[in-house]
Amino acid sequence: MSEGEGHSMRDWCRLSLVLLLLCLCYFGKYFCTSDMYIAQASFTENMSLSAPQLSSMFALGYFASMFGKVTAGALCDAVGGRFVILLAAAGYAGSTFLLSLVPSGSES
């Protein structure tokens, strides 16, 4: 086996690992989304949400997801994937922090 072949085999293994991890992440996201529909009744009761409020949350989440995928794809082509991943991580952390500041509502 020449050095060039070893290099391509290593690259193929890395690519396969990345694709496997991406598939696992997507399946996890899909499972969590599907799980929300199953737990909808309990969730609305515990969080004091009405059905229209929960529907709006899901619709807004899907819209943001579609917008984010299109934007991230174009941004990856323009400036590179590493920057976009760091930007997405910062956006996720920032939005999680801001949502943690929202009051929880009435205490029982």
Side-chain angles (χ1 to χ4, degrees):
M1 182 190 295
S2 71
E3 189 174 319
E5 290 175 10
H7 221 359
S8 92
M9 182 62 152
R10 188 175 7 179
D11 290 343
W12 186 86
C13 288
R14 280 177 151 175
L15 178 65
S16 297
L17 178 64
V18 168
L19 289 175
L20 175 70
L21 292 173
L22 285 172
C23 286
L24 287 174
C25 289
Y26 182 77
F27 294 147
K29 178 206 174 277
Y30 184 77
F31 176 76
C32 289
T33 303
S34 297
D35 192 37
M36 276 300 297
Y37 288 113
I38 294 168
Q40 179 177 351
S42 175
F43 187 76
T44 54
E45 182 181 321
N46 291 339
M47 298 299 289
S48 300
L49 294 172
S50 66
Q53 288 174 321
L54 189 64
S55 298
S56 296
M57 285 175 46
F58 280 134
L60 183 62
Y62 279 116
F63 176 75
S65 176
M66 290 186 308
F67 178 75
K69 287 176 184 175
V70 171
T71 305
L75 209 57
C76 279
D77 290 341
V79 295
R82 180 172 287 170
F83 173 75
V84 174
I85 287 175
L86 292 174
L87 184 65
Y92 178 77
S95 62
T96 301
F97 174 73
L98 289 175
L99 288 173
S100 73
L101 300 176
V102 174
S104 63
S106 63
E107 296 292 322
S108 299

